[in-house]
């Protein structure tokens, strides 16, 4: 999706039609549309030819996009979990693994990457009432494996703003919730993890429309990606103006929320009252 979006921006900047681009790679305009939407894999030759057509001759820029296209074609580690990964969520898993920064705002629950196994199990069971024990186990296992991005040699940086409601909603019972709150205190001490709480007292805020996740990548020429999850699908708005609005909303939330230095104390107070 990231490669496709970048190719689309380059094509539009060069004022080249999808028909002309398709002809260049011995395809059709519909093939270009599928490539730009990230719905098909990439051939290195096609990407190289398109970059040449679009006037991208900087070796560094070309190499970054060609390498990302190669990575996009590799099977993800989550492939064995295909039975519990919906098609609309699979692109996000790849983006999450490739990001250097993940910014998230959550309203109703603790973000996936910050959940304990017990909390995740209770939440997944509530969201999938028809799932059997084995399916729930696999979903929990997948979520726990995703957390490894925070512990790898070059860990992703996570900046999470949690609405106070997410911390007061007792998921799985008091004991499970206590374990989750303790985990939040511990993990927020990691140098690559920033956790802030947006208290009820803050009043209205910039993201009242709901949860939002923004991912950033190491390559400066690659745009940020916004992810909006829904009950049976997800949106990936990629217009530059939309991405800017979501980024600005997250920035304002970071200012409006309690400073990171107060997170442990805020959660400790909730823990003591639970």
């Amino acid at each position: 999706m990231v490669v496709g979006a970048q190719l689309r921006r380059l094509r539009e900047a060069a004022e080249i039609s999808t028909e002309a681009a398709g002809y260049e790679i011995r395809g059709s305009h519909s093939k270009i549309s599928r490539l730009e939407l990230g719905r098909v894999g990439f051939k290195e030759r096609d990407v190289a030819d398109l970059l040449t057509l679009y006037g991208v001759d900087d070796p560094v820029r070309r190499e970054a996009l060609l390498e990302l296209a190669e990575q996009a074609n590799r099977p993800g580690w989550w492939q064995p979990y295909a039975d519990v990964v919906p098609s609309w969520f699979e692109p996000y898993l790849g983006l999450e693994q490739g990001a250097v920064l993940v910014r998230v705002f959550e309203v109703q629950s603790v973000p996936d990457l910050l959940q304990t196994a017990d909390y995740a199990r209770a939440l997944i069971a509530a969201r999938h009432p028809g799932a059997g024990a084995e399916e729930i186990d696999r979903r929990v296992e997948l979520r726990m494996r995703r957390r490894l991005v925070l512990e790898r040699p070059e860990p992703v940086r996570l900046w999470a703003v949690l609405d106070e409601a997410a911390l007061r909603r007792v998921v799985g019972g008091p004991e499970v919730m206590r374990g989750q709150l303790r985990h939040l205190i511990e993990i927020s001490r990691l140098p690559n993890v920033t956790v802030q709480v947006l208290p009820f007292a803050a009043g209205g805020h910039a993201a009242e429309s709901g949860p939002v996740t923004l991912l950033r990548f190491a390559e400066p020429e690659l745009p940020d990606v916004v992810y909006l999850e829904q009950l049976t699908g997800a949106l990936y708005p990629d217009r530059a103006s939309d991405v800017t609005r979501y980024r600005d909303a997250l920035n304002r939330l970071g200012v409006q929320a309690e400073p990171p230095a107060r997170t442990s104390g805020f959660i400790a107070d909730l823990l003591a009252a639970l």
Side-chain angles (χ1 to χ4, degrees):
M1 289 178 63
V2 174
V3 176
Q6 186 68 0
L7 288 174
R8 190 191 74 235
R9 290 186 178 91
L10 291 170
R11 178 181 59 77
E12 292 175 345
E15 298 183 346
I16 294 173
S17 67
T18 55
E19 289 79 7
Y23 180 82
E24 182 67 19
I25 61 171
R26 302 151 297 281
S28 63
H29 71 92
S30 61
K31 179 178 180 179
I32 294 298
S33 296
R34 291 194 300 271
L35 286 172
E36 292 179 352
L37 291 171
R39 292 179 177 171
V40 294
F42 298 96
K43 294 180 180 178
E44 181 179 357
R45 176 182 173 183
D46 288 347
V47 176
D49 288 348
L50 288 174
L51 292 178
T52 300
L53 178 66
Y54 301 156
V56 181
D57 51 14
D58 178 9
V60 174
R61 194 178 185 190
R62 288 177 66 92
E63 183 61 28
L65 273 169
L66 287 169
E67 182 179 350
L68 199 66
E70 180 187 359
Q71 293 176 9
N73 288 330
R74 297 174 191 165
W77 59 260
W78 56 88
Q79 293 301 318
Y81 298 93
D83 57 317
V84 294
V85 176
S87 59
W88 51 264
F89 187 57
E90 187 170 356
Y92 177 80
L93 289 175
L95 293 167
E96 185 177 73
Q97 295 297 308
V100 295
L101 171 66
V102 176
R103 299 183 62 180
V104 58
F105 170 64
E106 273 291 352
V107 182
Q108 299 292 346
S109 59
V110 173
D112 290 1
L113 295 180
L114 297 176
Q115 293 177 8
T116 65
D118 289 339
Y119 181 96
R121 185 179 304 281
L123 198 61
I124 289 169
R127 291 178 176 176
H128 300 274
E134 182 177 354
E135 178 183 337
I136 292 175
D137 286 345
R138 287 177 57 73
R139 290 182 180 276
V140 172
E141 184 178 331
L142 171 65
R143 189 160 298 181
M144 294 303 100
R145 287 196 63 182
R146 286 173 54 201
R147 297 195 318 179
L148 296 178
V149 296
L150 300 174
E151 305 170 12
R152 64 193 184 192
E154 294 184 8
V156 69
R157 288 181 292 124
L158 175 64
W159 179 4
V161 177
L162 282 65
D163 192 281
E164 184 176 343
L167 301 177
R168 289 190 177 276
R169 186 176 302 280
V170 181
V171 174
E175 192 56 38
V176 169
M177 198 64 200
R178 290 189 191 100
Q180 178 61 70
L181 293 178
R182 294 189 191 100
H183 177 68
L184 279 175
I185 292 173
E186 290 298 319
I187 201 168
S188 65
R189 293 170 181 161
L190 293 177
N192 58 306
V193 176
T194 299
V195 178
Q196 292 180 263
V197 178
L198 183 69
F200 291 146
H205 56 79
E208 291 189 342
S209 58
V212 56
T213 300
L214 182 142
L215 304 104
R216 183 164 297 163
F217 306 90
E219 296 80 4
E221 65 276 6
L222 296 180
D224 292 345
V225 173
V226 172
Y227 172 76
L228 307 174
E229 185 170 320
Q230 300 174 335
L231 184 62
T232 59
L235 299 175
Y236 297 84
D238 62 357
R239 288 195 305 177
S241 58
D242 290 341
V243 173
T244 296
R245 288 196 64 181
Y246 283 108
R247 187 190 303 116
D248 290 346
L250 288 171
N251 288 340
R252 290 196 293 273
L253 285 170
V255 173
Q256 196 172 2
E258 292 290 304
R262 298 183 186 175
T263 297
S264 294
F266 193 102
I267 296 176
D269 289 343
L270 295 178
L271 185 59
L274 187 60

